[in-house]
Amino acid sequence: EHPEYKELFSDFTYYNNVLGAYPTTKGALPHILTGERYLNNVPFNKYIEEAYKNTILYDTLISNGYDIGINVSKTFLPSNSADIFRNVIDKSAKPTSYMNLGLMMYKSTAFSYFPHILKERFWFYSGDFDKYIDISNNKTASKTLSKDDIVFYNSLIEEGLTFDNDSYAFRVYHLHGVHPPYRMTSQLTYDDNGTSIMEESLGSLNVVLEYISQLKKAGLYDQTSIIVMADHGGVDYRQNPMLMVKAMNNSADFRISSAPISYDDLLNTMLWLATGDDRYEPNVFSWNENDIRIRKYWYYDWDNSWDKDYLPDIYEYITDSSSIDMQKMNKTGTVYTSSGIKNNFFVKVSLGEKLQFPNGGKIQGAFVYGFSSDEGTHIWSLGKKAKLSFALENNKFSRDDQLA
């Protein structure tokens, strides 16, 4: 639809057969940053601390002379972040305007409690709060604190990138990206009347292109490896995130690959790009388009559990198909809950039992594909097909009989 972006992203490979790890940012981002999975075995905050202790990524980068900057929410950082990442400082942020901050709080409250027909008048991004945070004594932290695409883009234009020729640099920027309600234009402005998923997607890509433009002006583009990605997908069970990769000193036309990639490959990919050491395999370059491999995905029904100690029950999926279509994936029967692991799990129902779908009905544990997340009063269909898998209990069937 926009072929000009193939030229703008020449040297990149776009991978269209990618299986992510988790359906939302809370599960997905720490896995990307550390390579460690969260499976509800410990409270989330403890997992964050352990994940950064266990990963080899940052020690390897430091030993290879890298200066590290990681620009993500504090939720996803360990307590010793200031010792690892140059842009993290041990200082509390202060509001720049109590009045504007208060108005944002009123706006968020109105969005939460007003009738649905009025909610569009109170749309906002969580990054809007960052406009009223001041840590001005540290320009790097001030510039990179916001995940709002437009705020970040404007900081690139106004302040630009700075470079230190005495060390290598490893940088991670987690921006808001493409999420409804769509208000961002392709020219990086807000439209309160709403835009579209395509318009907002182009805006997000244009942020990346400005970053690339500044690398080129500094003469550092060819010496830089770049990963452009989403932490999770946006449709179906959010299993297919966007991923584009450019290795340093790679000059080629834009390429599309259907190689079977998993987000479990990302840790080795970053290590290989940073060191060139072939020990770090498999990575995204290890797979060919005709390869068949086993890949896993961990799905949970998001319940806005930002402040909770555990994620909702996590259902493990597996596929050996070359496709990441949910209809070609199967549940393994393993469920990771805050009270322990359930193996060979099936929802059990009796003949004549009334099945309740929304509001936590037990039948939701039987969903395989084709059903949306629980919205309290509704569960929607996804696509033209859906599948349930459960065990039927009655006098005529054994407990192990399964109806799918």
Side-chain angles (χ1 to χ4, degrees):
E1 193 169 333
H2 291 274
E4 68 273 19
Y5 280 82
K6 290 184 178 180
E7 180 65 27
L8 294 170
F9 281 98
S10 61
D11 308 328
F12 281 82
T13 297
Y14 167 60
Y15 294 93
N16 62 8
N17 184 12
V18 177
L19 184 61
Y22 296 92
T24 72
T25 294
K26 186 171 181 179
L29 189 56
H31 176 261
I32 292 168
L33 296 173
T34 67
E36 298 288 318
R37 300 189 194 106
Y38 179 62
L39 297 174
N40 272 338
N41 52 318
V42 295
F44 188 81
N45 288 342
K46 184 177 180 180
Y47 153 73
I48 291 292
E49 298 294 332
E50 292 178 351
Y52 280 90
K53 288 179 182 178
N54 294 335
T55 186
I56 65 171
L57 177 59
Y58 304 105
D59 285 343
T60 303
L61 290 171
I62 291 170
S63 67
N64 279 272
Y66 279 87
D67 172 82
I68 307 171
I70 188 166
N71 304 273
V72 302
S73 167
K74 186 179 179 181
T75 302
F76 304 109
L77 296 177
S79 56
N80 65 334
S81 294
D83 299 330
I84 309 171
F85 311 122
R86 68 169 299 180
N87 62 305
V88 177
I89 58 173
D90 290 324
K91 182 175 177 64
S92 299
K94 297 180 179 179
T96 58
S97 168
Y98 284 97
M99 176 179 290
N100 287 328
L101 184 61
L103 290 173
M104 280 300 305
M105 295 177 70
Y106 276 120
K107 192 173 186 179
S108 65
T109 303
F111 183 81
S112 177
Y113 289 102
F114 274 33
H116 197 79
I117 195 171
L118 298 177
K119 287 184 185 291
E120 66 177 36
R121 299 177 182 272
F122 302 97
W123 285 347
F124 67 96
Y125 288 127
S126 57
D128 290 349
F129 282 91
D130 296 336
K131 300 173 185 177
Y132 309 113
I133 297 176
D134 177 31
I135 45 175
S136 56
N137 68 319
N138 186 298
K139 288 188 176 181
T140 300
S142 177
K143 181 177 75 171
T144 59
L145 181 66
S146 177
K147 62 181 285 188
D148 183 286
D149 296 66
I150 295 176
V151 174
F152 183 82
Y153 175 78
N154 288 335
S155 73
L156 279 178
I157 297 296
E158 294 166 7
E159 302 177 37
L161 295 175
T162 57
F163 304 97
D164 181 357
N165 295 325
D166 294 331
S167 65
Y168 300 126
F170 178 88
R171 297 289 183 268
V172 176
Y173 301 94
H174 179 237
L175 302 181
H176 186 271
V178 184
H179 288 82
Y182 308 115
R183 293 194 304 153
M184 186 170 67
T185 71
S186 62
Q187 301 305 310
L188 282 303
T189 59
Y190 290 116
D191 185 343
D192 289 333
N193 293 320
T195 58
S196 67
I197 186 171
M198 178 59 72
E199 183 80 1
E200 189 156 294
S201 297
L202 295 176
S204 288
L205 289 176
N206 287 337
V207 176
V208 178
L209 288 171
E210 174 58 32
Y211 196 97
I212 290 174
S213 174
Q214 295 196 23
L215 288 173
K216 289 180 176 179
K217 290 177 182 177
L220 295 173
Y221 173 76
D222 290 336
Q223 302 160 242
T224 305
S225 296
I226 303 174
I227 300 175
V228 182
M229 61 183 297
D231 52 7
H232 57 81
V235 298
D236 204 1
Y237 278 31
R238 308 186 195 98
Q239 75 276 12
N240 181 212
M242 188 272 279
L243 176 66
M244 296 195 298
V245 182
K246 179 196 90 73
M248 68 175 68
N249 299 319
N250 178 65
S251 180
D253 293 336
F254 179 82
R255 176 173 168 262
I256 298 175
S257 171
S258 59
I261 305 302
S262 165
Y263 265 20
D264 281 339
D265 302 328
L266 286 174
L267 177 64
N268 278 340
T269 300
M270 291 185 285
L271 288 166
W272 185 86
L273 289 171
T275 67
D277 192 327
D278 289 335
R279 290 180 301 168
Y280 299 118
E281 291 186 340
N283 54 58
V284 298
F285 306 106
S286 304
W287 303 101
N288 298 312
E289 294 197 351
N290 295 324
D291 287 343
I292 301 296
R293 65 181 294 200
I294 293 174
R295 292 178 286 175
K296 288 185 176 181
Y297 181 61
W298 293 270
Y299 178 78
Y300 47 84
D301 195 7
W302 180 241
D303 63 353
N304 201 32
S305 57
W306 284 111
D307 298 323
K308 297 179 181 178
D309 288 336
Y310 296 88
L311 286 174
D313 292 352
I314 302 171
Y315 294 86
E316 186 178 75
Y317 282 79
I318 192 169
T319 180
D320 60 1
S321 169
S322 59
S323 169
I324 42 78
D325 187 329
M326 288 301 296
Q327 295 184 26
K328 296 183 179 180
M329 299 178 67
N330 294 295
K331 284 184 172 179
T332 64
T334 300
V335 185
Y336 300 93
T337 76
S338 58
S339 58
I341 301 174
K342 298 179 182 178
N343 293 305
N344 301 313
F345 173 78
F346 282 108
V347 171
K348 296 178 175 64
V349 300
S350 301
L351 285 176
E353 180 180 351
K354 184 179 180 180
L355 303 179
Q356 177 182 334
F357 275 61
N359 291 314
K362 73 175 184 179
I363 197 59
Q364 290 172 231
F367 295 170
V368 179
Y369 61 79
F371 298 92
S372 74
S373 298
D374 186 351
E375 296 186 10
T377 58
H378 295 81
I379 288 178
W380 305 93
S381 60
L382 298 175
K384 296 181 179 181
K385 295 182 179 180
K387 181 178 180 180
L388 298 168
S389 182
F390 56 86
L392 189 61
E393 291 186 307
N394 61 48
N395 294 332
K396 296 181 180 179
F397 295 89
S398 72
R399 293 176 61 88
D400 295 327
D401 286 330
Q402 176 191 351
L403 180 63

